[in-house]
Amino acid sequence: MSKNNVVATNQDDQLISLISSLTKAEKRNFKLYVNRLQSKSDVKFVQLFDVVDKMKVWDDSIVFKKTPSIKKSQLANLKRHLYKQILISLRLIHIQKNVDIQIREQIDFARILYGKGLYIQSLKLLDRIQQIAEDNHQDILQLEILEFQKVIEERHITRSRQTSNKVESLVEASYTRSKIINNSCKLTNLKIEIHGFYIQYGHVKNDRDVLVVRELFSKKLKEIKLDGLTFFEQVYLHQCYVWYYYILLNFDKCMVDAKKWVDIFEENPEMKKEEPDLYMRGQHYLLTCLFNLKMVKEFNKAINHFEKFEKEFGSEMKPVSEIIYFLYYSTSKLNKHYLEGTFKKGIEYVPEVLGKIKQHESHLDPHRILVFYYKIAFQYFGNENYNTMIDYINEIINMQVGQLREDLQGYARLLQLIGHYELENYELLDYLAPSTYRFLEKMKELNEVQKETLKFLKKLIKHRNIGHREMFLTFRTKLEKLQKDPHSRRALLYLDLVPWVESKIQKKSIRAVIQKSL
């Protein structure tokens, strides 16, 4: 594992992980920062920094060998001190990029002024940053400022009552802001609860699931104020609806709320810079819905807009935002090539995706990687490069992920059988098919798409020496029926076999079938 891919598992690894995450500019800034510190202990923690910077795995013996001036009794404190000083130096850099850090710093300055008895100066500073907090929709920080102002007005004679209605305004503003925060809290609670439902149960699978989700959502929504919402309240509300409709597989309504989510940022463009991750998440769900609905023209417009955003703000993105952009944009790019049947271009894009996966692997959970491999496999499937498709399917099957995305692993195994069928590897199919059947039959909730595909593949393998066109016609009819079943919608998105089936019936390439349908 490279230095940049160290996974923090304890305090020592956390220090290595923090240092390895630093850019060259951040390391240079740290050195400039500590050069202003002159004590002997500071020299020691700088020496420790240089040693840890070259480490991949923590080793006390290397530390003592490279820095003999450090005693065993000092090491624990030096590590804590070094960790703290790195964070302080990073704060000095990021304060220019994060308005909330700037506001907190000014609140700290106001407290220092107040502590020195300069409460009028403190009030003036709080007045100024209160407006900045309001302009940037920092509701919690704004309430903290208002509460501090109330404390000063209560404890000292500031003549605010005599010269203006300042105190009354503070009380009213504090009351209003507390209601906004309470409402925001209810919205974020609903957002987390509905998302938690998805993580635990996935999409609805039957009418009973639909009733449960609707009851959960409507009950919580009744507790929330829905008019006169602030910026974040509006975004949170549409996030809740996006997840709600996404779970229900209602991509039409999901798309509408995802678009409203994005439009809120378009109406407040300064917030794209302040909250890029939240904006990109909205773009991601908009693109996902457009892909699921096969709205090619609208999808291309949205992905072009996403690219424009990265060109405008990419140079200012923090590492976590860069990773989020990679995840969402690369997924959409692969989806675009699938939608348009441009599989050859999709395959040309694969090395870039794999390079980014390697670069960010320590920050990607297995689920993300598994989905990427599946989408890559589908590019090769669409281009009828079955050998390479099988290579990626094998990567999915061999990943040590337990029951994570068991459904996706099931689809992968079905694709594997199709690949070997296309390559006429019948002897291998005789070996692989039974294990695939066992895996799928052990799944807790095998869906209708998987069941019908499994039955169809069994027939193909069993009757390998006769013409299969009639079987494909029969299977197409079953797929058409499943397309009308709302609970089969998601499975058909992950295992979209219609173009493949049509290619066999029409004796055309998969690419030609898709492009003809555009």
Side-chain angles (χ1 to χ4, degrees):
M1 183 178 287
S2 67
K3 181 174 65 174
N4 288 330
N5 292 328
V6 174
V7 179
T9 55
N10 55 45
Q11 189 174 14
D12 295 335
D13 285 342
Q14 287 172 9
L15 180 58
I16 295 175
S17 183
L18 175 61
I19 292 175
S20 68
S21 73
L22 301 177
T23 64
K24 289 183 179 179
E26 289 170 338
K27 290 179 181 179
R28 184 168 60 252
N29 182 76
F30 173 72
K31 289 296 184 73
L32 290 171
Y33 165 71
V34 297
N35 279 339
R36 290 177 292 181
L37 306 173
Q38 299 297 327
S39 71
K40 291 182 179 179
S41 63
D42 291 327
V43 172
K44 288 181 180 180
F45 85 73
V46 175
Q47 291 174 343
L48 180 60
F49 175 87
D50 291 332
V51 174
V52 177
D53 189 27
K54 296 178 175 62
M55 276 187 177
K56 293 181 180 179
V57 179
W58 186 269
D59 189 334
D60 282 0
S61 64
I62 294 176
V63 174
F64 296 128
K65 181 180 179 181
K66 297 286 186 180
T67 54
S69 63
I70 296 178
K71 298 177 182 178
K72 288 185 178 181
S73 59
Q74 297 174 315
L75 185 57
N77 285 335
L78 279 173
K79 285 188 289 188
R80 282 193 291 269
H81 187 49
L82 174 58
Y83 195 91
K84 177 182 176 181
Q85 294 303 322
I86 292 171
L87 290 178
I88 291 173
S89 72
L90 286 173
R91 187 177 187 273
L92 294 172
I93 296 175
H94 290 282
I95 194 169
Q96 302 303 321
K97 301 177 182 179
N98 297 81
V99 69
D100 55 331
I101 299 178
Q102 295 174 33
I103 294 169
R104 287 191 188 96
E105 182 185 59
Q106 295 298 310
I107 293 173
D108 292 342
F109 290 162
R111 292 193 182 280
I112 291 169
L113 289 171
Y114 177 74
K116 295 187 72 63
L118 304 172
Y119 52 86
I120 299 298
Q121 291 183 40
S122 179
L123 273 178
K124 287 182 178 179
L125 179 55
L126 291 170
D127 274 336
R128 183 175 64 81
I129 59 174
Q130 195 274 136
Q131 188 60 52
I132 295 173
E134 183 175 359
D135 292 342
N136 287 276
H137 312 285
Q138 297 291 326
D139 296 319
I140 293 176
L141 288 175
Q142 190 178 356
L143 182 61
E144 182 179 346
I145 293 165
L146 291 167
E147 291 302 305
F148 190 12
Q149 287 176 303
K150 282 161 59 180
V151 167
I152 296 174
E153 292 288 354
E154 173 201 350
R155 294 178 181 176
H156 303 278
I157 299 174
T158 65
R159 302 189 183 279
S160 295
R161 288 184 186 273
Q162 289 84 350
T163 59
S164 67
N165 61 345
K166 175 71 178 293
V167 174
E168 289 76 9
S169 296
L170 279 176
V171 171
E172 184 179 349
S174 175
Y175 177 67
T176 300
R177 199 57 46 186
S178 64
K179 288 200 298 182
I180 289 170
I181 292 171
N182 182 51
N183 202 53
S184 294
C185 184
K186 290 178 181 178
L187 282 164
T188 54
N189 285 346
L190 174 56
K191 182 178 64 171
I192 290 173
E193 285 186 65
I194 202 74
H195 185 221
F197 182 95
Y198 174 75
I199 291 172
Q200 187 171 359
Y201 301 108
H203 291 279
V204 292
K205 300 173 183 67
N206 49 53
D207 291 337
R208 180 185 170 279
D209 286 353
V210 172
L211 289 173
V212 170
V213 174
R214 284 179 176 169
E215 184 177 347
L216 167 68
F217 191 78
S218 60
K219 181 181 177 181
K220 295 291 182 180
L221 199 63
K222 288 177 182 177
E223 304 171 3
I224 297 170
K225 171 179 167 285
L226 301 177
D227 58 314
L229 303 180
T230 63
F231 173 85
F232 281 110
E233 286 177 294
Q234 292 179 65
V235 173
Y236 295 156
L237 177 62
H238 291 300
Q239 270 190 292
C240 291
Y241 272 112
V242 163
W243 270 109
Y244 173 63
Y245 289 127
Y246 188 71
I247 292 171
L248 293 177
L249 295 166
N250 190 333
F251 297 121
D252 291 283
K253 289 188 176 180
C254 186
M255 177 193 66
V256 171
D257 276 283
K259 181 70 167 59
K260 288 179 180 178
W261 174 351
V262 171
D263 285 345
I264 293 167
F265 276 91
E266 301 303 337
E267 293 163 8
N268 299 268
E270 73 283 354
M271 294 305 292
K272 291 182 188 178
K273 183 178 179 180
E274 294 300 328
E275 293 287 340
D277 301 354
L278 190 56
Y279 173 72
M280 287 190 287
R281 189 172 289 272
Q283 284 279 17
H284 166 66
Y285 284 110
L286 176 59
L287 283 161
T288 299
C289 290
L290 292 171
F291 169 72
N292 290 341
L293 295 169
K294 291 183 165 51
M295 299 174 68
V296 180
K297 184 179 177 181
E298 293 81 358
F299 181 92
N300 283 328
K301 184 178 178 181
I303 198 171
N304 289 338
H305 196 72
F306 202 17
E307 290 171 347
K308 183 180 176 182
F309 166 76
E310 195 278 334
K311 287 177 182 176
E312 187 175 355
F313 296 101
S315 61
E316 302 175 33
M317 284 186 186
K318 296 186 282 289
V320 66
S321 300
E322 291 175 359
I323 293 168
I324 289 171
Y325 178 78
F326 154 65
L327 288 172
Y328 294 161
Y329 177 73
S330 295
T331 299
S332 297
K333 192 80 171 177
L334 292 171
N335 286 343
K336 171 184 167 67
H337 291 303
Y338 175 82
L339 270 182
E340 297 178 339
T342 52
F343 299 109
K344 187 176 180 181
K345 289 183 179 179
I347 290 169
E348 290 171 357
Y349 180 60
V350 166
E352 184 177 337
V353 176
L354 295 177
K356 289 288 187 179
I357 290 174
K358 181 67 177 175
Q359 179 184 344
H360 300 303
E361 64 182 341
S362 65
H363 302 287
L364 302 178
D365 58 67
H367 165 259
R368 298 284 192 185
I369 297 172
L370 195 140
V371 171
F372 269 125
Y373 283 162
Y374 190 78
K375 288 189 176 291
I376 290 170
F378 240 99
Q379 297 295 319
Y380 287 99
F381 177 63
N383 207 50
E384 299 172 23
N385 293 14
Y386 298 111
N387 279 312
T388 309
M389 180 200 80
I390 290 169
D391 289 340
Y392 281 97
I393 293 298
N394 288 337
E395 289 284 345
I396 295 170
I397 292 171
N398 294 328
M399 283 181 73
Q400 301 298 316
V401 292
Q403 293 184 329
L404 177 67
R405 287 310 302 268
E406 196 177 53
D407 61 333
L408 201 60
Q409 294 180 58
Y411 300 138
R413 282 170 166 79
L414 290 171
L415 271 183
Q416 183 188 48
L417 295 185
I418 292 172
H420 285 300
Y421 164 79
E422 287 286 3
L423 295 169
E424 298 183 358
N425 295 331
Y426 292 117
E427 290 185 7
L428 192 56
L429 278 171
D430 289 336
Y431 168 75
L432 286 173
S435 64
T436 301
Y437 305 155
R438 287 193 296 271
F439 178 86
L440 291 170
E441 286 165 358
K442 284 180 181 178
M443 285 178 61
K444 295 178 182 177
E445 296 183 26
L446 193 63
N447 61 55
E448 289 301 313
V449 173
Q450 289 167 326
K451 288 178 184 176
E452 291 298 333
T453 303
L454 188 56
K455 290 178 186 176
F456 172 61
L457 292 175
K458 281 182 177 181
K459 289 179 182 178
L460 287 182
I461 296 167
K462 182 178 179 181
H463 304 289
R464 64 188 65 170
N465 297 321
I466 63 173
H468 290 164
R469 190 172 187 276
E470 290 300 321
M471 293 184 195
F472 275 98
L473 286 167
T474 302
F475 185 50
R476 181 178 67 178
T477 302
K478 289 183 178 178
L479 288 176
E480 288 171 348
K481 288 181 179 178
L482 288 170
Q483 285 175 323
K484 297 175 183 178
D485 175 18
H487 303 310
S488 296
R489 189 175 296 173
R490 181 173 181 268
L492 288 168
L493 291 170
Y494 273 102
L495 196 65
D496 186 4
L497 297 180
V498 173
W500 174 65
V501 172
E502 287 293 344
S503 74
K504 293 300 175 186
I505 294 170
Q506 298 178 28
K507 296 184 178 180
K508 295 180 178 179
S509 68
I510 297 173
R511 178 180 64 255
V513 169
I514 291 176
Q515 292 179 345
K516 184 181 177 182
S517 66
L518 294 177

